[in-house]
Amino acid sequence: MNSALGRDAREDLISRGYSRRQFGRVSALLGIGAAVSTGGLAFPGRSAIAAPGQARTLARPDLSGMIRIGTNECWTGPFPAAALAGADMVQHGNRYEPSDLRQRLIDNVATVEKVPVSHIVPWPGSSDPLARAIVTFCSPTRGVVTADPTFEEAWVTAAWLKIKVSKVALRPDNHYATDVRAMLAADPNAGLYYVCSPNNPTGTVTPVADIAWLVENKPAGSIVLIDEAYLHFAGTPSAAYLATQGKDVVVLRTFSKIFGMAGLRLGLSMARPDLHERMMRYDGRMQSGALSVVALAAGGASVLLASDIVARRQEMIDAREATFAHLKSRGITHLPSNANMFMVDWGKPAADMKAAFAAQQIDIGRDWKIWPTRSRITVGSASEMKSFCSALDKIMV
């Protein structure tokens, strides 16, 4: 098998139990280069859940004529000041680095989050560092533990690399928060414990105190990865302080949600420098170093807009609570949520309801295998949620 991995990366993988036959899969996963596999190449992604072993379809369906409340995007674009900063960079797109945009983003995040500059690394979104954290800290002998349901990227990555996955079901008696003690019991020797808070798809928050407990009680050599993609929508405390204390944590953020930059592809991780060094050894730092100057400029401006963040959060809450009131009036069960999404239990196959809403020109979210009668609904604008409620009334006659 050919691989674009460097010698240090290959030696690291071998020392942790990976086989040389897996090098190509690691290379393909992290976008390092072409890899040849005797078993055929199937790129990781959500399509692999539905059709394992088939090539991932990169094209997304054209939903431009529909109300789009299915993929947890923000209902609007970047904050105006951020959009202006990004637009200004377009005319300087002939330069790889028109100015110190990457460092400016890092400095601004450090100021807002009170995390050392040395602990912050930007990425093209947050899925890349999530996947490479599994490569880095898991292995054929040390698996990954997650809640169920949760964001599936960890499952897909682990399956692609043939790494053990342990799933801990969310329970109503725990308010559908991630049960960190059950996670540790599920695999006391895992390499990575993944906590998405607020959780996708439920929007439920795992208390930072619970996360800190897991960090203190996890096995040596493992990490706790805290995915805070939806934190700004909740306005709840961050676990980033654990990184400043030198703990074995990686905290992920993305600009795809409240900052309205999903298509611009920008995220970041916060962790001890040595953990980042281990994560970056596989691709020569290219994924973190070759970022769009438009995204860097918009992201660097966004993080400083505290009042805009609060206002956008409140706009989402108002639309969400109005929708909850309508669901209650119809006797339709939903889970409580602290984020820009929620789960509705239709009492019938969720796939059928998705098709019914599509016929009304509304794209709602998917279901998870553990909950086949529940759909994830993204909170859109007030007018979009009114349209959702009107379509619901037509469907649930």
mmCIF file of all heavy atoms in Angstrom, residues 21-45:
data_model
loop_
_atom_site.group_PDB
_atom_site.id
_atom_site.type_symbol
_atom_site.label_atom_id
_atom_site.label_comp_id
_atom_site.label_asym_id
_atom_site.label_seq_id
_atom_site.Cartn_x
_atom_site.Cartn_y
_atom_site.Cartn_z
ATOM 1 N N ARG A 21 -1.467 -1.720 6.542
ATOM 2 C CA ARG A 21 -2.606 -1.745 5.631
ATOM 3 C C ARG A 21 -3.588 -0.610 5.932
ATOM 4 O O ARG A 21 -4.426 -0.273 5.089
ATOM 5 C CB ARG A 21 -3.327 -3.089 5.718
ATOM 6 C CG ARG A 21 -2.482 -4.266 5.236
ATOM 7 C CD ARG A 21 -3.245 -5.584 5.397
ATOM 8 N NE ARG A 21 -4.447 -5.615 4.594
ATOM 9 C CZ ARG A 21 -4.493 -5.960 3.302
ATOM 10 N NH1 ARG A 21 -3.373 -6.285 2.671
ATOM 11 N NH2 ARG A 21 -5.632 -5.966 2.647
ATOM 12 N N GLN A 22 -3.480 -0.030 7.140
ATOM 13 C CA GLN A 22 -4.378 1.058 7.509
ATOM 14 C C GLN A 22 -3.818 2.440 7.177
ATOM 15 O O GLN A 22 -4.522 3.447 7.301
ATOM 16 C CB GLN A 22 -4.700 0.986 9.010
ATOM 17 C CG GLN A 22 -5.566 -0.220 9.390
ATOM 18 C CD GLN A 22 -5.749 -0.308 10.895
ATOM 19 O OE1 GLN A 22 -4.831 -0.658 11.614
ATOM 20 N NE2 GLN A 22 -6.944 0.021 11.357
ATOM 21 N N PHE A 23 -2.563 2.513 6.746
ATOM 22 C CA PHE A 23 -1.969 3.815 6.453
ATOM 23 C C PHE A 23 -2.762 4.570 5.386
ATOM 24 O O PHE A 23 -2.967 5.779 5.477
ATOM 25 C CB PHE A 23 -0.523 3.648 5.980
ATOM 26 C CG PHE A 23 0.448 3.250 7.066
ATOM 27 C CD1 PHE A 23 1.766 2.969 6.762
ATOM 28 C CD2 PHE A 23 0.048 3.158 8.390
ATOM 29 C CE1 PHE A 23 2.671 2.614 7.739
ATOM 30 C CE2 PHE A 23 0.941 2.794 9.391
ATOM 31 C CZ PHE A 23 2.258 2.517 9.058
ATOM 32 N N GLY A 24 -3.185 3.860 4.360
ATOM 33 C CA GLY A 24 -3.936 4.500 3.289
ATOM 34 C C GLY A 24 -5.256 5.060 3.788
ATOM 35 O O GLY A 24 -5.706 6.113 3.323
ATOM 36 N N ARG A 25 -5.873 4.366 4.725
ATOM 37 C CA ARG A 25 -7.140 4.856 5.277
ATOM 38 C C ARG A 25 -6.928 6.128 6.094
ATOM 39 O O ARG A 25 -7.743 7.050 6.040
ATOM 40 C CB ARG A 25 -7.798 3.767 6.130
ATOM 41 C CG ARG A 25 -8.399 2.646 5.279
ATOM 42 C CD ARG A 25 -9.075 1.561 6.105
ATOM 43 N NE ARG A 25 -9.788 0.677 5.199
ATOM 44 C CZ ARG A 25 -11.110 0.706 4.992
ATOM 45 N NH1 ARG A 25 -11.851 1.554 5.664
ATOM 46 N NH2 ARG A 25 -11.673 -0.114 4.136
ATOM 47 N N VAL A 26 -5.843 6.174 6.849
ATOM 48 C CA VAL A 26 -5.534 7.391 7.599
ATOM 49 C C VAL A 26 -5.263 8.543 6.636
ATOM 50 O O VAL A 26 -5.761 9.662 6.813
ATOM 51 C CB VAL A 26 -4.329 7.168 8.529
ATOM 52 C CG1 VAL A 26 -3.887 8.480 9.159
ATOM 53 C CG2 VAL A 26 -4.668 6.152 9.616
ATOM 54 N N SER A 27 -4.492 8.270 5.591
ATOM 55 C CA SER A 27 -4.180 9.308 4.600
ATOM 56 C C SER A 27 -5.443 9.841 3.938
ATOM 57 O O SER A 27 -5.633 11.053 3.795
ATOM 58 C CB SER A 27 -3.242 8.737 3.526
ATOM 59 O OG SER A 27 -1.990 8.383 4.073
ATOM 60 N N ALA A 28 -6.343 8.930 3.527
ATOM 61 C CA ALA A 28 -7.585 9.346 2.872
ATOM 62 C C ALA A 28 -8.469 10.130 3.830
ATOM 63 O O ALA A 28 -9.081 11.134 3.458
ATOM 64 C CB ALA A 28 -8.320 8.121 2.340
ATOM 65 N N LEU A 29 -8.522 9.691 5.080
ATOM 66 C CA LEU A 29 -9.371 10.333 6.076
ATOM 67 C C LEU A 29 -8.979 11.783 6.295
ATOM 68 O O LEU A 29 -9.830 12.668 6.380
ATOM 69 C CB LEU A 29 -9.265 9.565 7.403
ATOM 70 C CG LEU A 29 -10.014 10.156 8.590
ATOM 71 C CD1 LEU A 29 -11.507 10.015 8.390
ATOM 72 C CD2 LEU A 29 -9.579 9.470 9.879
ATOM 73 N N LEU A 30 -7.675 12.055 6.358
ATOM 74 C CA LEU A 30 -7.191 13.387 6.670
ATOM 75 C C LEU A 30 -6.842 14.197 5.430
ATOM 76 O O LEU A 30 -6.256 15.269 5.531
ATOM 77 C CB LEU A 30 -5.982 13.287 7.606
ATOM 78 C CG LEU A 30 -6.263 12.574 8.936
ATOM 79 C CD1 LEU A 30 -5.019 12.538 9.795
ATOM 80 C CD2 LEU A 30 -7.409 13.242 9.692
ATOM 81 N N GLY A 31 -7.197 13.661 4.248
ATOM 82 C CA GLY A 31 -7.000 14.412 3.024
ATOM 83 C C GLY A 31 -5.548 14.627 2.676
ATOM 84 O O GLY A 31 -5.173 15.633 2.077
ATOM 85 N N ILE A 32 -4.701 13.663 3.032
ATOM 86 C CA ILE A 32 -3.266 13.839 2.843
ATOM 87 C C ILE A 32 -2.860 13.599 1.401
ATOM 88 O O ILE A 32 -1.968 14.224 0.864
ATOM 89 C CB ILE A 32 -2.486 12.905 3.788
ATOM 90 C CG1 ILE A 32 -2.820 13.270 5.237
ATOM 91 C CG2 ILE A 32 -0.993 12.986 3.545
ATOM 92 C CD1 ILE A 32 -2.363 12.251 6.241
ATOM 93 N N GLY A 33 -3.510 12.666 0.734
ATOM 94 C CA GLY A 33 -3.147 12.370 -0.645
ATOM 95 C C GLY A 33 -3.824 11.110 -1.097
ATOM 96 O O GLY A 33 -4.565 10.470 -0.364
ATOM 97 N N ALA A 34 -3.555 10.720 -2.315
ATOM 98 C CA ALA A 34 -4.175 9.519 -2.854
ATOM 99 C C ALA A 34 -3.638 8.297 -2.135
ATOM 100 O O ALA A 34 -2.477 8.219 -1.786
ATOM 101 C CB ALA A 34 -3.891 9.417 -4.348
ATOM 102 N N ALA A 35 -4.502 7.334 -1.899
ATOM 103 C CA ALA A 35 -4.090 6.107 -1.240
ATOM 104 C C ALA A 35 -4.684 4.927 -1.988
ATOM 105 O O ALA A 35 -5.810 4.984 -2.456
ATOM 106 C CB ALA A 35 -4.567 6.101 0.208
ATOM 107 N N VAL A 36 -3.929 3.858 -2.113
ATOM 108 C CA VAL A 36 -4.369 2.680 -2.841
ATOM 109 C C VAL A 36 -4.675 1.580 -1.844
ATOM 110 O O VAL A 36 -3.866 1.273 -0.977
ATOM 111 C CB VAL A 36 -3.287 2.196 -3.825
ATOM 112 C CG1 VAL A 36 -3.763 0.960 -4.559
ATOM 113 C CG2 VAL A 36 -2.955 3.294 -4.815
ATOM 114 N N SER A 37 -5.851 0.994 -1.935
ATOM 115 C CA SER A 37 -6.250 -0.065 -1.015
ATOM 116 C C SER A 37 -6.689 -1.284 -1.795
ATOM 117 O O SER A 37 -7.454 -1.190 -2.736
ATOM 118 C CB SER A 37 -7.402 0.417 -0.127
ATOM 119 O OG SER A 37 -7.950 -0.649 0.608
ATOM 120 N N THR A 38 -6.196 -2.451 -1.384
ATOM 121 C CA THR A 38 -6.578 -3.681 -2.079
ATOM 122 C C THR A 38 -8.034 -4.021 -1.855
ATOM 123 O O THR A 38 -8.623 -4.778 -2.612
ATOM 124 C CB THR A 38 -5.716 -4.841 -1.582
ATOM 125 O OG1 THR A 38 -5.854 -4.958 -0.160
ATOM 126 C CG2 THR A 38 -4.255 -4.626 -1.921
ATOM 127 N N GLY A 39 -8.639 -3.439 -0.809
ATOM 128 C CA GLY A 39 -10.037 -3.739 -0.522
ATOM 129 C C GLY A 39 -10.991 -2.711 -1.086
ATOM 130 O O GLY A 39 -12.190 -2.767 -0.833
ATOM 131 N N GLY A 40 -10.482 -1.750 -1.859
ATOM 132 C CA GLY A 40 -11.366 -0.701 -2.371
ATOM 133 C C GLY A 40 -11.425 0.453 -1.396
ATOM 134 O O GLY A 40 -11.326 0.270 -0.188
ATOM 135 N N LEU A 41 -11.587 1.658 -1.895
ATOM 136 C CA LEU A 41 -11.534 2.845 -1.065
ATOM 137 C C LEU A 41 -12.923 3.417 -0.871
ATOM 138 O O LEU A 41 -13.613 3.733 -1.813
ATOM 139 C CB LEU A 41 -10.628 3.882 -1.731
ATOM 140 C CG LEU A 41 -10.239 5.103 -0.900
ATOM 141 C CD1 LEU A 41 -9.503 4.667 0.355
ATOM 142 C CD2 LEU A 41 -9.351 6.028 -1.724
ATOM 143 N N ALA A 42 -13.344 3.533 0.383
ATOM 144 C CA ALA A 42 -14.625 4.151 0.708
ATOM 145 C C ALA A 42 -14.355 5.302 1.649
ATOM 146 O O ALA A 42 -13.876 5.100 2.748
ATOM 147 C CB ALA A 42 -15.560 3.141 1.371
ATOM 148 N N PHE A 43 -14.625 6.503 1.205
ATOM 149 C CA PHE A 43 -14.305 7.654 2.021
ATOM 150 C C PHE A 43 -15.301 7.781 3.161
ATOM 151 O O PHE A 43 -16.484 7.502 3.009
ATOM 152 C CB PHE A 43 -14.302 8.921 1.173
ATOM 153 C CG PHE A 43 -13.158 8.983 0.237
ATOM 154 C CD1 PHE A 43 -13.302 8.563 -1.073
ATOM 155 C CD2 PHE A 43 -11.919 9.425 0.656
ATOM 156 C CE1 PHE A 43 -12.232 8.599 -1.949
ATOM 157 C CE2 PHE A 43 -10.850 9.470 -0.212
ATOM 158 C CZ PHE A 43 -11.003 9.049 -1.517
ATOM 159 N N PRO A 44 -14.827 8.226 4.328
ATOM 160 C CA PRO A 44 -15.721 8.347 5.473
ATOM 161 C C PRO A 44 -16.694 9.488 5.299
ATOM 162 O O PRO A 44 -16.384 10.508 4.705
ATOM 163 C CB PRO A 44 -14.758 8.626 6.642
ATOM 164 C CG PRO A 44 -13.573 9.250 5.994
ATOM 165 C CD PRO A 44 -13.461 8.600 4.645
ATOM 166 N N GLY A 45 -17.855 9.343 5.879
ATOM 167 C CA GLY A 45 -18.888 10.370 5.805
ATOM 168 C C GLY A 45 -20.225 9.748 6.130
ATOM 169 O O GLY A 45 -20.340 8.548 6.314
#
